[in-house]
Amino acid sequence: KGGDGKAYGYANTFYRAATLGDLVDDLNLTETLTANGVYDMRDRSGKITQYENVPVSLLLAILAANADAKNVADEVEPDRDFEVSASVDLVGCHYHAIVFSEDGYLWTNLLGSAQVFYVGTDTVRDFIETVTEHYEGSPYVPTPLDGLTDEIEE
């Protein structure tokens, strides 16, 4: 507690999980992770397809199956092909990302720093196929941020 009697939280942006399982355990993701939407960004022209109501259980299954994956953030900067907008209310992470690259990497910025794990091309392909074949996609249309209502003059 601070000198004023209030409790304050902080984010350790230097945190680095050794394995994907450590990240899951340290953030209690099996209980605290929510998925806000899934975005297919593989079209390099900028077209993005959005999928709603994709259950977080699909993501949690990947995290559990790859718990031993080592953090390779210092070695790789993967593409952003398929992104899950994710939140962990417990630690104040809202609308961060868990991103999959077609070359088999899972990348996240849940705590404000890059965490990268190799989960395999088959895992990523299966996740993408499950989402695109079983959930309805629609073109992503960016919306203004809440509270920003003034028009910008050109």
Side-chain angles (χ1 to χ4, degrees), residues 32-55:
T32 61
L33 183 66
T34 57
N36 308 309
V38 178
Y39 304 89
D40 185 345
M41 302 183 304
R42 294 174 292 168
D43 183 332
R44 297 300 182 221
S45 71
K47 175 184 158 200
I48 299 172
T49 303
Q50 178 177 358
Y51 297 87
E52 296 290 338
N53 302 313
V54 176

Side-chain angles (χ1 to χ4, degrees), residues 11-28:
N12 178 1
T13 58
F14 298 103
Y15 167 82
R16 181 180 166 137
T19 67
L20 187 53
D22 290 341
L23 181 69
V24 170
D25 292 344
D26 291 348
L27 296 179
N28 192 22

Side-chain angles (χ1 to χ4, degrees), residues 125-149:
R125 184 187 64 245
D126 291 349
F127 178 68
I128 291 172
E129 286 178 1
T130 298
V131 171
T132 58
E133 292 175 10
H134 298 285
Y135 297 91
E136 187 174 339
S138 60
Y140 171 69
V141 179
T143 57
L145 298 174
D146 291 341
L148 297 178
T149 57

Side-chain angles (χ1 to χ4, degrees), residues 10-17 23 27 71 73 80 86-88 91-98 107-116:
Y10 73 96
N12 178 1
T13 58
F14 298 103
Y15 167 82
R16 181 180 166 137
L23 181 69
L27 296 179
N71 192 334
R80 296 175 69 129
S87 297
V88 181
V91 293
C93 294
H94 304 288
Y95 297 98
H96 286 244
I98 297 175
W107 173 91
T108 186
N109 65 346
L110 282 175
L111 289 174
S113 60
Q115 312 283 326
V116 180

